[in-house]
Amino acid sequence: KAGVTQTPRYLIKTRGQQVTLSCSPISGHRSVSWYQQTPGQGLQFLFEYFSETQRNKGNFPGRFSGRQFSNSRSEMNVSTLELGDSALYLCASSPGQGNSPLHFGNGTRLTVT
Amino acid sequence: AQTVTQSQPEMSVQEAETVTLSCTYDTSENNYYLFWYKQPPSRQMILVIRQEAYKQQNATENRFSVNFQKAAKSFSLKISDSQLGDTAMYFCAFMNVGDKIIFGKGTRLHILP
């Protein structure tokens, strides 16, 4: 089975712009979750989607949004980028039940200048 | 709110030695899951081991084992016969049933030749 695929791997944007990141989960996985990883804050949960519905949400401002499509692929959007949004954004998929483990992608490294 | 604390930001051990990474968490729930994830320089997070809170027996996966002390809310990871490939960032994580996963800030582990 193919793993979780995130595109692009690297991205450089300017303050004020917006960006869309993509995540393709493992085939058959219905849950996709997103995380922001920075050296200072560690790994922070953004949100989780299950069957196209947001199931859980972290404590991030409304500039961060996401969606999930019927094929379980997910996108994350960040509008009005700030310097502090520079981070590694990780996506993970799972079947979505119980303690099923998360399978992570390689992440998208976003740099905001 | 649930929290996960990893008190060792960085550790170094010689190859073939045994090393223990500490993790404590805080929750008022009784039923939850605990995980250790590894993030090598390639950036991809990989599940190392997981533990259900209702199970008293400590989980073991080859050279990796945990010491789960529910009353003390402690969940340490022991790596036996450490190998150079174990060099990575290790994250302890906690998840309530049906809720989002919460990660600690990580321990950077260096295995020295």
Side-chain angles (χ1 to χ4, degrees):
Chain A
K1 264 187 185 178
V4 177
T5 304
Q6 289 188 249
T7 55
R9 287 213 68 186
Y10 300 92
L11 207 48
I12 300 174
K13 290 285 188 179
T14 305
R15 266 184 307 175
Q17 288 186 315
Q18 68 99 26
V19 67
T20 299
L21 311 182
S22 179
C23 174
S24 294
I26 289 173
S27 177
H29 285 189
R30 296 167 66 190
S31 167
V32 173
S33 51
W34 289 88
Y35 304 84
Q36 181 194 66
Q37 186 177 12
T38 58
Q41 297 299 319
L43 211 65
Q44 292 189 289
F45 172 81
L46 281 153
F47 29 66
E48 181 210 0
Y49 286 86
F50 181 82
S51 294
E52 302 180 68
T53 301
Q54 190 178 82
R55 185 159 73 170
N56 280 302
K57 188 177 188 304
N59 298 320
F60 277 80
R63 299 186 296 106
F64 292 81
S65 63
R67 58 178 176 167
Q68 187 180 33
F69 302 94
S70 58
N71 61 358
S72 292
R73 189 177 72 85
S74 176
E75 286 182 348
M76 189 191 88
N77 185 277
V78 188
S79 62
T80 320
L81 283 166
E82 298 176 1
L83 295 179
D85 297 333
S86 294
L88 178 67
Y89 290 88
L90 292 168
C91 151
S93 77
S94 78
Q97 292 92 22
N99 70 338
S100 45
L102 300 175
H103 297 262
F104 284 84
N106 283 325
T108 294
R109 171 78 64 189
L110 172 65
T111 302
V112 182
T113 62
Chain B
Q2 287 88 4
T3 58
V4 178
T5 302
Q6 292 180 249
S7 59
Q8 305 147 311
E10 196 158 1
M11 298 180 72
S12 296
V13 296
Q14 293 294 135
E15 193 177 6
E17 287 185 347
T18 294
V19 59
T20 299
L21 280 58
S22 303
C23 173
T24 58
Y25 57 94
D26 187 27
T27 183
S28 56
E29 301 293 330
N30 192 50
N31 193 16
Y32 49 85
Y33 307 110
L34 294 160
F35 308 87
W36 277 98
Y37 280 88
K38 165 185 176 181
Q39 187 180 38
S42 66
R43 307 190 326 203
Q44 186 169 29
M45 297 269 285
I46 304 162
L47 177 68
V48 175
I49 199 164
R50 60 179 161 172
Q51 174 87 40
E52 290 89 352
Y54 65 85
K55 289 186 178 178
Q56 290 187 333
Q57 187 171 8
N58 288 323
T60 298
E61 288 285 343
N62 301 314
R63 298 182 295 108
F64 299 88
S65 61
V66 297
N67 183 4
F68 174 46
Q69 302 288 327
K70 192 172 183 179
K73 296 179 184 173
S74 170
F75 183 61
S76 61
L77 174 70
K78 185 171 87 170
I79 306 174
S80 303
D81 186 26
S82 56
Q83 301 174 358
L84 297 178
D86 296 333
T87 291
M89 195 79 168
Y90 286 81
F91 292 94
C92 177
F94 166 96
M95 185 176 75
N96 270 330
V97 176
D99 202 354
K100 60 181 186 278
I101 190 167
I102 299 168
F103 289 89
K105 294 225 164 137
T107 295
R108 188 173 298 282
L109 177 64
H110 302 275
I111 308 299
L112 307 171

mmCIF file of all heavy atoms in Angstrom, chain A residues 5-39:
data_model
loop_
_atom_site.group_PDB
_atom_site.id
_atom_site.type_symbol
_atom_site.label_atom_id
_atom_site.label_comp_id
_atom_site.label_asym_id
_atom_site.label_seq_id
_atom_site.Cartn_x
_atom_site.Cartn_y
_atom_site.Cartn_z
ATOM 1 N N THR A 5 0.833 10.675 1.407
ATOM 2 C CA THR A 5 1.571 11.561 0.514
ATOM 3 C C THR A 5 1.184 13.007 0.751
ATOM 4 O O THR A 5 0.001 13.352 0.689
ATOM 5 C CB THR A 5 1.285 11.204 -0.961
ATOM 6 O OG1 THR A 5 1.603 9.831 -1.171
ATOM 7 C CG2 THR A 5 2.136 12.053 -1.895
ATOM 8 N N GLN A 6 2.189 13.825 1.003
ATOM 9 C CA GLN A 6 1.945 15.256 1.177
ATOM 10 C C GLN A 6 2.651 16.032 0.074
ATOM 11 O O GLN A 6 3.804 15.759 -0.252
ATOM 12 C CB GLN A 6 2.475 15.738 2.531
ATOM 13 C CG GLN A 6 1.663 15.250 3.699
ATOM 14 C CD GLN A 6 2.099 15.888 5.004
ATOM 15 O OE1 GLN A 6 2.661 15.227 5.876
ATOM 16 N NE2 GLN A 6 1.832 17.193 5.139
ATOM 17 N N THR A 7 1.938 16.993 -0.460
ATOM 18 C CA THR A 7 2.534 17.870 -1.472
ATOM 19 C C THR A 7 2.174 19.313 -1.192
ATOM 20 O O THR A 7 1.087 19.593 -0.651
ATOM 21 C CB THR A 7 2.019 17.508 -2.887
ATOM 22 O OG1 THR A 7 0.592 17.550 -2.892
ATOM 23 C CG2 THR A 7 2.505 16.136 -3.299
ATOM 24 N N PRO A 8 3.075 20.241 -1.499
ATOM 25 C CA PRO A 8 4.457 19.992 -1.906
ATOM 26 C C PRO A 8 5.332 19.681 -0.696
ATOM 27 O O PRO A 8 4.867 19.760 0.435
ATOM 28 C CB PRO A 8 4.852 21.333 -2.530
ATOM 29 C CG PRO A 8 4.071 22.338 -1.740
ATOM 30 C CD PRO A 8 2.759 21.684 -1.409
ATOM 31 N N ARG A 9 6.570 19.351 -0.905
ATOM 32 C CA ARG A 9 7.466 19.074 0.223
ATOM 33 C C ARG A 9 8.031 20.360 0.809
ATOM 34 O O ARG A 9 8.270 20.435 2.012
ATOM 35 C CB ARG A 9 8.610 18.171 -0.218
ATOM 36 C CG ARG A 9 8.166 16.748 -0.453
ATOM 37 C CD ARG A 9 9.233 15.742 -0.102
ATOM 38 N NE ARG A 9 9.502 15.704 1.341
ATOM 39 C CZ ARG A 9 10.474 14.984 1.887
ATOM 40 N NH1 ARG A 9 11.277 14.274 1.147
ATOM 41 N NH2 ARG A 9 10.659 14.983 3.188
ATOM 42 N N TYR A 10 8.229 21.323 -0.052
ATOM 43 C CA TYR A 10 8.760 22.619 0.397
ATOM 44 C C TYR A 10 7.961 23.738 -0.253
ATOM 45 O O TYR A 10 7.494 23.609 -1.385
ATOM 46 C CB TYR A 10 10.240 22.780 0.016
ATOM 47 C CG TYR A 10 11.141 21.740 0.597
ATOM 48 C CD1 TYR A 10 11.427 20.570 -0.099
ATOM 49 C CD2 TYR A 10 11.697 21.913 1.869
ATOM 50 C CE1 TYR A 10 12.251 19.602 0.451
ATOM 51 C CE2 TYR A 10 12.529 20.935 2.419
ATOM 52 C CZ TYR A 10 12.798 19.797 1.706
ATOM 53 O OH TYR A 10 13.610 18.838 2.252
ATOM 54 N N LEU A 11 7.824 24.818 0.493
ATOM 55 C CA LEU A 11 7.037 25.944 0.000
ATOM 56 C C LEU A 11 7.587 27.220 0.634
ATOM 57 O O LEU A 11 7.831 27.264 1.843
ATOM 58 C CB LEU A 11 5.586 25.742 0.428
ATOM 59 C CG LEU A 11 4.434 26.330 -0.359
ATOM 60 C CD1 LEU A 11 4.572 26.055 -1.840
ATOM 61 C CD2 LEU A 11 3.130 25.750 0.155
ATOM 62 N N ILE A 12 7.768 28.239 -0.200
ATOM 63 C CA ILE A 12 8.174 29.543 0.322
ATOM 64 C C ILE A 12 7.123 30.557 -0.084
ATOM 65 O O ILE A 12 6.791 30.676 -1.273
ATOM 66 C CB ILE A 12 9.561 29.967 -0.219
ATOM 67 C CG1 ILE A 12 10.614 28.942 0.191
ATOM 68 C CG2 ILE A 12 9.937 31.361 0.297
ATOM 69 C CD1 ILE A 12 11.982 29.184 -0.399
ATOM 70 N N LYS A 13 6.594 31.257 0.916
ATOM 71 C CA LYS A 13 5.549 32.243 0.656
ATOM 72 C C LYS A 13 5.924 33.556 1.348
ATOM 73 O O LYS A 13 6.784 33.596 2.239
ATOM 74 C CB LYS A 13 4.201 31.744 1.197
ATOM 75 C CG LYS A 13 3.607 30.578 0.411
ATOM 76 C CD LYS A 13 3.038 31.057 -0.899
ATOM 77 C CE LYS A 13 2.282 29.979 -1.620
ATOM 78 N NZ LYS A 13 1.703 30.481 -2.892
ATOM 79 N N THR A 14 5.213 34.587 0.967
ATOM 80 C CA THR A 14 5.427 35.913 1.542
ATOM 81 C C THR A 14 4.298 36.228 2.510
ATOM 82 O O THR A 14 3.160 35.753 2.308
ATOM 83 C CB THR A 14 5.459 36.964 0.418
ATOM 84 O OG1 THR A 14 6.447 36.581 -0.536
ATOM 85 C CG2 THR A 14 5.794 38.342 0.964
ATOM 86 N N ARG A 15 4.605 37.004 3.506
ATOM 87 C CA ARG A 15 3.581 37.437 4.468
ATOM 88 C C ARG A 15 2.363 37.995 3.744
ATOM 89 O O ARG A 15 2.490 38.752 2.783
ATOM 90 C CB ARG A 15 4.136 38.539 5.373
ATOM 91 C CG ARG A 15 4.717 38.052 6.657
ATOM 92 C CD ARG A 15 5.147 39.185 7.540
ATOM 93 N NE ARG A 15 6.028 40.105 6.844
ATOM 94 C CZ ARG A 15 6.480 41.230 7.367
ATOM 95 N NH1 ARG A 15 6.117 41.595 8.569
ATOM 96 N NH2 ARG A 15 7.276 42.019 6.673
ATOM 97 N N GLY A 16 1.204 37.630 4.216
ATOM 98 C CA GLY A 16 -0.043 38.124 3.641
ATOM 99 C C GLY A 16 -0.630 37.214 2.578
ATOM 100 O O GLY A 16 -1.827 37.304 2.277
ATOM 101 N N GLN A 17 0.204 36.353 2.021
ATOM 102 C CA GLN A 17 -0.314 35.425 1.018
ATOM 103 C C GLN A 17 -1.084 34.304 1.682
ATOM 104 O O GLN A 17 -1.138 34.191 2.909
ATOM 105 C CB GLN A 17 0.851 34.829 0.201
ATOM 106 C CG GLN A 17 1.490 35.807 -0.769
ATOM 107 C CD GLN A 17 2.534 35.128 -1.649
ATOM 108 O OE1 GLN A 17 3.362 34.351 -1.174
ATOM 109 N NE2 GLN A 17 2.514 35.437 -2.932
ATOM 110 N N GLN A 18 -1.683 33.470 0.846
ATOM 111 C CA GLN A 18 -2.351 32.295 1.374
ATOM 112 C C GLN A 18 -1.739 31.053 0.724
ATOM 113 O O GLN A 18 -1.098 31.136 -0.332
ATOM 114 C CB GLN A 18 -3.868 32.373 1.120
ATOM 115 C CG GLN A 18 -4.268 32.271 -0.336
ATOM 116 C CD GLN A 18 -4.733 30.890 -0.726
ATOM 117 O OE1 GLN A 18 -5.219 30.119 0.124
ATOM 118 N NE2 GLN A 18 -4.610 30.541 -1.986
ATOM 119 N N VAL A 19 -1.920 29.912 1.394
ATOM 120 C CA VAL A 19 -1.292 28.693 0.909
ATOM 121 C C VAL A 19 -2.231 27.509 1.118
ATOM 122 O O VAL A 19 -3.031 27.494 2.061
ATOM 123 C CB VAL A 19 0.044 28.449 1.653
ATOM 124 C CG1 VAL A 19 -0.190 28.138 3.131
ATOM 125 C CG2 VAL A 19 0.833 27.335 1.007
ATOM 126 N N THR A 20 -2.141 26.539 0.222
ATOM 127 C CA THR A 20 -2.921 25.303 0.335
ATOM 128 C C THR A 20 -1.981 24.121 0.287
ATOM 129 O O THR A 20 -1.158 24.007 -0.627
ATOM 130 C CB THR A 20 -3.950 25.192 -0.796
ATOM 131 O OG1 THR A 20 -4.861 26.301 -0.722
ATOM 132 C CG2 THR A 20 -4.751 23.899 -0.667
ATOM 133 N N LEU A 21 -2.102 23.268 1.287
ATOM 134 C CA LEU A 21 -1.300 22.056 1.357
ATOM 135 C C LEU A 21 -2.209 20.854 1.128
ATOM 136 O O LEU A 21 -3.372 20.878 1.535
ATOM 137 C CB LEU A 21 -0.627 21.928 2.732
ATOM 138 C CG LEU A 21 0.111 23.163 3.264
ATOM 139 C CD1 LEU A 21 0.753 22.846 4.603
ATOM 140 C CD2 LEU A 21 1.129 23.651 2.274
ATOM 141 N N SER A 22 -1.642 19.813 0.532
ATOM 142 C CA SER A 22 -2.455 18.656 0.186
ATOM 143 C C SER A 22 -1.950 17.398 0.875
ATOM 144 O O SER A 22 -0.751 17.239 1.110
ATOM 145 C CB SER A 22 -2.436 18.458 -1.334
ATOM 146 O OG SER A 22 -3.201 17.334 -1.692
ATOM 147 N N CYS A 23 -2.878 16.519 1.171
ATOM 148 C CA CYS A 23 -2.550 15.251 1.833
ATOM 149 C C CYS A 23 -3.411 14.138 1.258
ATOM 150 O O CYS A 23 -4.642 14.214 1.282
ATOM 151 C CB CYS A 23 -2.797 15.379 3.331
ATOM 152 S SG CYS A 23 -2.588 13.841 4.261
ATOM 153 N N SER A 24 -2.754 13.091 0.761
ATOM 154 C CA SER A 24 -3.468 11.906 0.287
ATOM 155 C C SER A 24 -3.231 10.777 1.269
ATOM 156 O O SER A 24 -2.084 10.359 1.466
ATOM 157 C CB SER A 24 -2.973 11.501 -1.108
ATOM 158 O OG SER A 24 -3.317 12.483 -2.047
ATOM 159 N N PRO A 25 -4.295 10.275 1.899
ATOM 160 C CA PRO A 25 -4.107 9.260 2.941
ATOM 161 C C PRO A 25 -3.863 7.876 2.353
ATOM 162 O O PRO A 25 -3.975 7.672 1.135
ATOM 163 C CB PRO A 25 -5.455 9.284 3.671
ATOM 164 C CG PRO A 25 -6.438 9.679 2.615
ATOM 165 C CD PRO A 25 -5.692 10.644 1.729
ATOM 166 N N ILE A 26 -3.553 6.953 3.212
ATOM 167 C CA ILE A 26 -3.438 5.556 2.812
ATOM 168 C C ILE A 26 -4.815 5.081 2.352
ATOM 169 O O ILE A 26 -5.844 5.434 2.961
ATOM 170 C CB ILE A 26 -2.926 4.708 3.988
ATOM 171 C CG1 ILE A 26 -1.454 5.040 4.247
ATOM 172 C CG2 ILE A 26 -3.104 3.219 3.734
ATOM 173 C CD1 ILE A 26 -0.879 4.399 5.492
ATOM 174 N N SER A 27 -4.822 4.287 1.311
ATOM 175 C CA SER A 27 -6.088 3.796 0.763
ATOM 176 C C SER A 27 -6.901 3.092 1.849
ATOM 177 O O SER A 27 -6.383 2.231 2.562
ATOM 178 C CB SER A 27 -5.789 2.826 -0.384
ATOM 179 O OG SER A 27 -6.986 2.287 -0.888
ATOM 180 N N GLY A 28 -8.163 3.485 1.962
ATOM 181 C CA GLY A 28 -9.041 2.874 2.956
ATOM 182 C C GLY A 28 -9.115 3.640 4.269
ATOM 183 O O GLY A 28 -10.017 3.401 5.075
ATOM 184 N N HIS A 29 -8.182 4.539 4.482
ATOM 185 C CA HIS A 29 -8.226 5.358 5.704
ATOM 186 C C HIS A 29 -9.220 6.493 5.526
ATOM 187 O O HIS A 29 -9.206 7.202 4.527
ATOM 188 C CB HIS A 29 -6.841 5.924 6.021
ATOM 189 C CG HIS A 29 -5.905 4.919 6.590
ATOM 190 N ND1 HIS A 29 -4.667 5.262 7.108
ATOM 191 C CD2 HIS A 29 -6.008 3.574 6.737
ATOM 192 C CE1 HIS A 29 -4.070 4.170 7.559
ATOM 193 N NE2 HIS A 29 -4.853 3.130 7.340
ATOM 194 N N ARG A 30 -10.060 6.684 6.547
ATOM 195 C CA ARG A 30 -11.095 7.708 6.451
ATOM 196 C C ARG A 30 -10.794 8.937 7.304
ATOM 197 O O ARG A 30 -11.470 9.945 7.207
ATOM 198 C CB ARG A 30 -12.434 7.100 6.865
ATOM 199 C CG ARG A 30 -12.896 5.988 5.923
ATOM 200 C CD ARG A 30 -14.026 5.191 6.502
ATOM 201 N NE ARG A 30 -15.236 5.987 6.651
ATOM 202 C CZ ARG A 30 -16.320 5.581 7.308
ATOM 203 N NH1 ARG A 30 -16.326 4.397 7.891
ATOM 204 N NH2 ARG A 30 -17.382 6.347 7.394
ATOM 205 N N SER A 31 -9.807 8.827 8.153
ATOM 206 C CA SER A 31 -9.464 9.958 9.022
ATOM 207 C C SER A 31 -8.160 10.582 8.560
ATOM 208 O O SER A 31 -7.176 9.885 8.291
ATOM 209 C CB SER A 31 -9.319 9.474 10.464
ATOM 210 O OG SER A 31 -8.715 10.473 11.265
ATOM 211 N N VAL A 32 -8.166 11.898 8.480
ATOM 212 C CA VAL A 32 -6.954 12.650 8.185
ATOM 213 C C VAL A 32 -6.822 13.762 9.224
ATOM 214 O O VAL A 32 -7.787 14.499 9.475
ATOM 215 C CB VAL A 32 -6.995 13.268 6.776
ATOM 216 C CG1 VAL A 32 -5.783 14.177 6.570
ATOM 217 C CG2 VAL A 32 -7.009 12.183 5.707
ATOM 218 N N SER A 33 -5.664 13.862 9.820
ATOM 219 C CA SER A 33 -5.425 14.921 10.800
ATOM 220 C C SER A 33 -4.181 15.712 10.404
ATOM 221 O O SER A 33 -3.303 15.190 9.713
ATOM 222 C CB SER A 33 -5.284 14.344 12.215
ATOM 223 O OG SER A 33 -4.346 13.282 12.242
ATOM 224 N N TRP A 34 -4.127 16.936 10.852
ATOM 225 C CA TRP A 34 -3.047 17.855 10.501
ATOM 226 C C TRP A 34 -2.370 18.373 11.765
ATOM 227 O O TRP A 34 -3.028 18.638 12.783
ATOM 228 C CB TRP A 34 -3.604 19.050 9.712
ATOM 229 C CG TRP A 34 -4.050 18.716 8.323
ATOM 230 C CD1 TRP A 34 -5.279 18.279 7.936
ATOM 231 C CD2 TRP A 34 -3.258 18.815 7.131
ATOM 232 N NE1 TRP A 34 -5.309 18.099 6.571
ATOM 233 C CE2 TRP A 34 -4.096 18.418 6.058
ATOM 234 C CE3 TRP A 34 -1.947 19.200 6.850
ATOM 235 C CZ2 TRP A 34 -3.649 18.395 4.721
ATOM 236 C CZ3 TRP A 34 -1.509 19.175 5.535
ATOM 237 C CH2 TRP A 34 -2.354 18.790 4.490
ATOM 238 N N TYR A 35 -1.048 18.574 11.657
ATOM 239 C CA TYR A 35 -0.242 19.024 12.790
ATOM 240 C C TYR A 35 0.758 20.075 12.316
ATOM 241 O O TYR A 35 1.271 19.992 11.212
ATOM 242 C CB TYR A 35 0.516 17.849 13.413
ATOM 243 C CG TYR A 35 -0.398 16.728 13.824
ATOM 244 C CD1 TYR A 35 -0.806 15.770 12.901
ATOM 245 C CD2 TYR A 35 -0.890 16.648 15.126
ATOM 246 C CE1 TYR A 35 -1.679 14.764 13.255
ATOM 247 C CE2 TYR A 35 -1.758 15.639 15.486
ATOM 248 C CZ TYR A 35 -2.150 14.707 14.553
ATOM 249 O OH TYR A 35 -3.021 13.719 14.904
ATOM 250 N N GLN A 36 1.019 21.010 13.220
ATOM 251 C CA GLN A 36 2.058 21.990 12.966
ATOM 252 C C GLN A 36 3.235 21.677 13.882
ATOM 253 O O GLN A 36 3.047 21.519 15.094
ATOM 254 C CB GLN A 36 1.545 23.411 13.262
ATOM 255 C CG GLN A 36 2.570 24.495 12.999
ATOM 256 C CD GLN A 36 2.188 25.842 13.613
ATOM 257 O OE1 GLN A 36 2.131 25.983 14.820
ATOM 258 N NE2 GLN A 36 1.905 26.823 12.762
ATOM 259 N N GLN A 37 4.420 21.563 13.317
ATOM 260 C CA GLN A 37 5.597 21.266 14.118
ATOM 261 C C GLN A 37 6.595 22.406 14.021
ATOM 262 O O GLN A 37 7.039 22.763 12.925
ATOM 263 C CB GLN A 37 6.265 19.957 13.670
ATOM 264 C CG GLN A 37 7.414 19.545 14.568
ATOM 265 C CD GLN A 37 8.027 18.215 14.185
ATOM 266 O OE1 GLN A 37 7.763 17.658 13.129
ATOM 267 N NE2 GLN A 37 8.852 17.677 15.060
ATOM 268 N N THR A 38 6.931 22.982 15.176
ATOM 269 C CA THR A 38 7.939 24.036 15.253
ATOM 270 C C THR A 38 8.910 23.700 16.377
ATOM 271 O O THR A 38 8.543 22.974 17.311
ATOM 272 C CB THR A 38 7.305 25.410 15.548
ATOM 273 O OG1 THR A 38 6.568 25.317 16.787
ATOM 274 C CG2 THR A 38 6.367 25.846 14.442
ATOM 275 N N PRO A 39 10.130 24.201 16.309
ATOM 276 C CA PRO A 39 11.113 23.883 17.367
ATOM 277 C C PRO A 39 10.633 24.335 18.747
ATOM 278 O O PRO A 39 10.848 23.654 19.729
ATOM 279 C CB PRO A 39 12.359 24.654 16.932
ATOM 280 C CG PRO A 39 12.210 24.812 15.459
ATOM 281 C CD PRO A 39 10.742 24.965 15.211
#
